[in-house]
């Protein structure tokens, strides 16, 4: 049988490109920590630099996403169902897009956080980044899952990692509630527009962790099949 025919039938494995995409996504999300440190410090030049770096990483992730979609085998023999893989890719893409939107909002409006929020907000950002890191680790186990046929100890290992990811995301939800409570107490001393956009910022940062958790949820569905 001609090699070209086999190549078309099986195609290239999409696992490595998916992992490379997630690497770019996590690098993008990780910049939220120095970005908000610069916001708290009032360092405009650093805010500008990091916002541009976040945008560049999101663009690189988007380029890899488009290439993966273009190269995705159309044949029947893939280690992961095409629709499932595209669902995971979409969640990863949403993480980078959301991060870019957060940085754009802060820079565009020259936002500053009330000092009462500083410590807890940085804890919040750190846990959101932890959620991204955990999703990245899980995605990097996908090739091992494929090699083991989604069976055995590797499945148990990944399921434990997904459970940990769910716990991190739940913690970000709890911190978000606390941040909103602090902000509520500050509303009378802030401009209404600043109050509105600070609530939005808190919500948007949490959405990054939500998308990371959904990456794990999509893989959990694969394990159940």
């Amino acid at each position: 049988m001609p090699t070209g025919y086999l190549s078309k039938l099986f195609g290239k494995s999409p696992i490595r490109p998916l992992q490379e995409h997630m690497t770019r996504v996590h690098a993008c999300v990780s910049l939220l920590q120095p970005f908000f440190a610069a916001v708290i410090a009032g360092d405009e030049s650093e805010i500008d630099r990091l916002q541009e770096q976040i945008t560049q990483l999101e663009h690189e992730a988007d380029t890899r996403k488009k290439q993966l979609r273009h190269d995705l085998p159309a044949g029947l023999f893939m280690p992961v169902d095409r629709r499932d893989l595209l669902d995971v890719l979409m969640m990863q893409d949403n993480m980078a897009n959301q991060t870019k939107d957060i940085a754009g909002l802060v820079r565009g409006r020259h936002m500053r956080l009330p000092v009462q929020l500083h410590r807890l907000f940085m804890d919040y950002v750190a846990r959101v980044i932890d959620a991204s890191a955990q999703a990245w680790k899980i995605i990097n186990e996908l090739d091992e899952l494929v090699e083991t046929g989604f069976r055995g100890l590797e499945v148990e290992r990944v399921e434990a990692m997904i459970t940990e990811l769910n716990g991190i995301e739940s913690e970000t939800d709890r911190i978000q509630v606390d941040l909103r409570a602090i902000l509520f107490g500050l509303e009378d001393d802030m401009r209404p527009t600043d109050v509105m956009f600070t609530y939005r910022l808190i919500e948007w940062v949490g959405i990054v962790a939500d998308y990371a958790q959904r990456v794990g949820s999509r893989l959990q569905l694969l394990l159940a099949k």
Side-chain angles (χ1 to χ4, degrees), residues 185-202:
L186 301 173
E187 287 183 6
D188 290 343
D189 300 322
M190 298 172 63
R191 294 188 307 174
T193 53
D194 289 343
V195 171
M196 178 182 71
F197 282 103
T198 303
Y199 275 120
R200 181 176 298 179
L201 178 63
I202 292 169

Side-chain angles (χ1 to χ4, degrees), residues 3-99:
T3 304
Y5 175 79
L6 285 174
S7 177
K8 290 179 181 179
L9 188 62
F10 288 91
K12 297 178 181 178
S13 171
I15 303 304
R16 180 57 59 188
L18 185 70
Q19 292 169 333
E20 291 171 353
H21 177 264
M22 186 61 195
T23 296
R24 282 289 180 273
V25 168
H26 179 58
C28 181
V29 174
S30 294
L31 286 178
L32 287 176
Q33 194 280 330
F35 178 79
F36 280 109
V39 170
I40 288 172
D43 189 338
E44 289 284 354
S45 62
E46 186 70 354
I47 291 168
D48 292 349
R49 186 186 72 82
L50 287 165
Q51 191 266 340
E52 290 168 3
Q53 193 173 349
I54 286 169
T55 299
Q56 177 60 33
L57 282 168
E58 188 278 334
H59 176 71
E60 291 175 13
D62 199 52
T63 299
R64 289 176 180 268
K65 175 196 70 177
K66 292 174 181 175
Q67 189 64 45
L68 193 160
R69 284 177 171 171
H70 179 268
D71 294 341
L72 202 58
L76 297 176
F77 297 96
M78 286 180 58
V80 180
D81 184 271
R82 182 188 182 94
R83 289 169 299 180
D84 291 332
L85 187 141
L86 288 173
D87 280 346
V88 173
L89 179 64
M90 182 177 68
M91 291 303 111
Q92 295 180 178
D93 187 52
N94 286 341
M95 291 171 65
N97 289 341
Q98 187 71 20
T99 301

